[in-house]
Amino acid sequence: DGGITQSPKYLFRKEGQNVTLSCEQNLNHDAMYWYRQDPGQGLRLIYYSQIVNDFQKGDIAEGYSVSREKKESFPLTVTSAQKNPTAFYLCASSIASGGAGYGYTFGSGTRLTVV
Amino acid sequence: GQQLNQSPQSMFIQEGEDVSMNCTSSSIFNTWLWYKQDPGEGPVLLIALYKAGELTSNGRLTAQFGITRKDSFLNISASIPSDVGIYFCAGPPQGGSEKLVFGKGTKLTVNP
């Protein structure tokens, strides 16, 4: 079955450490997105990529980095520069540029906690 | 940028009751999408609306695309405990469809 997989489901990080969240999709979607969700804040866009080897900053990119070396994969690194990284992170994908109107497919999320 | 305003922010209802929530914008949207997010999971698309005035049903869910294209409504009939979650409206902004704009969500609690 086609879908989008995020791993791990739960992640604990010590302050000052970088950590990478995995996102893989087998839907043959061109576009991929990373969102951060905090209670009462809705979904906030961190980074998005419309095509391999290209990505753009979203609304809250500071302290995060991404790569898009393969169509199927869009990992997110939470760096030590992110001052408040504890949150629920969601990865999503959609068909080619202009296809957002057909909706995104979301992964099941990764809950990151700084300890 | 364009924003979607959802109301109410949260709802507490008894099982069996009907639910209504809405989403408004100051600008026109050509597509309205409604998602549901179960606790601890990612959002799942419930209903997509593509035409002004369109009314679409999916089981106990009914959604409508406002005639002005600046609003949309989602109704849930005869609520059950598994309806608990956060409901988001979303749409691609006019003139740029590469990213969706999301509302902040309506959190629904259903008491058995």
Side-chain angles (χ1 to χ4, degrees):
Chain A
D1 287 339
I4 183 165
T5 301
Q6 290 186 243
S7 61
K9 181 68 176 176
Y10 299 95
L11 190 56
F12 296 88
R13 190 195 91 172
K14 292 184 179 180
E15 284 194 31
Q17 285 183 337
N18 292 353
V19 64
T20 297
L21 282 59
S22 171
C23 180
E24 303 275 335
Q25 55 99 359
N26 60 3
L27 299 165
N28 200 32
H29 285 173
D30 289 300
M32 297 186 75
Y33 312 82
W34 273 105
Y35 286 88
R36 171 179 172 143
Q37 186 175 28
D38 297 283
Q41 295 272 357
L43 304 175
R44 294 187 288 170
L45 183 64
I46 304 172
Y47 269 98
Y48 66 103
S49 168
Q50 299 287 325
I51 195 169
V52 174
N53 292 323
D54 188 40
F55 48 83
Q56 287 78 41
K57 293 182 179 180
D59 302 316
I60 56 165
E62 185 175 351
Y64 300 97
S65 66
V66 293
S67 63
R68 188 86 187 276
E69 298 177 0
K70 297 187 300 181
K71 185 176 183 178
E72 302 79 18
S73 179
F74 191 41
L76 173 74
T77 296
V78 184
T79 75
S80 57
Q82 170 51 238
K83 297 307 178 189
N84 186 23
T86 295
F88 190 54
Y89 291 87
L90 286 162
C91 181
S93 68
S94 67
I95 64 174
S97 179
Y102 295 99
Y104 295 170
T105 300
F106 283 89
S108 59
T110 292
R111 184 165 298 281
L112 173 64
T113 304
V114 174
V115 296
Chain B
Q2 290 175 294
Q3 292 184 322
L4 294 178
N5 301 305
Q6 276 190 257
S7 64
Q9 187 174 7
S10 61
M11 302 181 74
F12 298 84
I13 63 170
Q14 293 296 126
E15 183 176 356
E17 289 183 358
D18 296 341
V19 172
S20 183
M21 59 189 79
N22 66 23
C23 190
T24 61
S25 173
S26 59
S27 54
I28 288 173
F29 278 73
N30 293 318
T31 299
W32 288 90
L33 307 169
W34 284 94
Y35 284 85
K36 183 199 176 193
Q37 183 181 28
D38 288 332
E41 298 295 327
V44 173
L45 184 64
L46 296 174
I47 290 180
L49 301 161
Y50 297 108
K51 190 176 176 182
E54 180 181 359
L55 183 72
T56 297
S57 293
N58 179 5
R60 294 179 296 106
L61 306 178
T62 302
Q64 183 158 25
F65 194 142
I67 198 70
T68 65
R69 294 195 283 163
K70 292 183 179 181
D71 58 6
S72 179
F73 301 86
L74 177 69
N75 296 322
I76 305 172
S77 63
S79 59
I80 59 178
S82 62
D83 289 333
V84 163
I86 302 175
Y87 292 80
F88 292 99
C89 61
Q94 195 175 31
S97 59
E98 64 180 18
K99 290 183 295 177
L100 290 178
V101 174
F102 284 88
K104 290 193 173 184
T106 294
K107 186 175 182 179
L108 179 64
T109 301
V110 179
N111 296 314

